Structure formats: C-alpha cells, structure tokens
Amino acid sequence: MNAPINLSQHFTLDELVFSSTAVRLGIDNSAPQEVATNLATLAVTLEKVRDILGNNPMHIDSGYRCEALNKAVGGVPSSAHVIGFAADFICAAFGQPPAIVRALASGISFDQLIEEGTWVHISVDPRMRGQVLTAQFTDGIASYTQGVRA
C-alpha cells in the first residue's frame, strides 16, 4: 500500500479523489497530473477554510470527479470538480452550511461558494468570481439564488 500523498498539512490526494459512488460503480477516479496540480491549489484554499472554521476537521464529501463519475452523480459537464478545482464539504464542529458560508464569504478568495443544503461547495476556478450562492432543490434539480440564507 502506498503512503498518502499530502497536498497540504491537512489534505491528501486520496481524500480529494475518493468517492463512494465511484467505488460502488467501479469507476476509476484517479487524478491525471494536471488535475493533481489543481487539487494542490484547492488544498491551499481548504487550509485557509479550515483556519477560518476554527481549525476544526472538515469532511470532504466530493472533490475531483472524472467525467464518468461527474455524469453518474448528475454534475454539470462544466463543473469545477472535473478539473480538480472544487470540493463539497461539511465541518460539523463549526456549524451548519449557512453559518460556514457566512464565515467564509469575506475571509478568503474563491470562485464559487455555495450553500447546498447539507453541505458547502467551494471552487477555486481561476475565474475567481467571488460568487456566493444558495441552492434550492426541486425534484432533484438545483436552482441558485445570490447570497446565503439568513
């Protein structure tokens, strides 16, 4: 068994490519080198997120998604997950997703920060638009509004 590849102090490559859906469906979700480089950039931002959230552990639910995995989970083809610039996470010790988004919105640079109901999505796509959004789901289809719930 190979030793984990640390991308930063608290985040490994394995953690940012693991997917229970990929395992269940037999999808190889290994990251190509250019994606691993992007994941290292993402890990730098995730360290900043962790600091803002009181250095509490974060659970990464979804990081990199190869095209087959992204399709399997219903992700849009242009998702930042496909190029290794996004992660979905929770930080239970800090609080619920709306509180996390409020804490992060003015503390770090990002492309998108989305309160997705039970998790938070953050992307560091080079566009760095600073979009703060809230997702609403109807019949499994997401729509987005500007800002975060009160």
Side-chain angles (χ1 to χ4, degrees):
M1 187 163 171
N2 294 334
I5 297 171
N6 292 321
L7 297 175
S8 67
Q9 181 180 357
H10 296 102
F11 300 97
T12 66
L13 179 61
D14 287 347
E15 179 179 20
L16 294 178
V17 300
F18 177 79
S19 165
S20 58
T21 301
V23 171
R24 182 173 45 84
L25 297 177
I27 297 171
D28 178 3
N29 198 47
S30 300
Q33 183 56 50
E34 64 273 12
V35 169
T37 299
N38 295 347
L39 288 168
T41 299
L42 175 64
V44 169
T45 296
L46 292 174
E47 289 292 347
K48 294 174 185 174
V49 167
R50 186 179 161 117
D51 285 345
I52 292 169
L53 301 180
N55 204 30
N56 288 303
M58 297 163 54
H59 172 77
I60 306 298
D61 194 50
S62 180
Y64 169 64
R65 296 183 202 141
C66 67
E67 289 182 22
L69 177 58
N70 192 57
K71 184 175 181 178
V73 300
V76 297
S78 62
S79 172
H81 287 279
V82 175
I83 55 175
F85 277 136
D88 298 337
F89 70 93
I90 60 172
C91 183
F94 183 84
Q96 295 297 311
I100 292 169
V101 171
R102 282 192 295 276
L104 297 176
S106 62
I108 59 171
S109 295
F110 53 86
D111 181 50
Q112 289 185 318
L113 185 61
I114 307 173
E115 189 256 303
E116 300 259 11
T118 58
W119 72 89
V120 175
H121 168 95
I122 189 164
S123 75
V124 294
D125 181 291
R127 293 177 285 178
M128 299 303 269
R129 297 170 288 179
Q131 291 182 329
V132 178
L133 305 168
T134 296
Q136 296 83 32
F137 296 92
T138 305
D139 298 325
I141 306 296
S143 61
Y144 299 92
T145 56
Q146 294 288 329
V148 64
R149 290 186 288 157

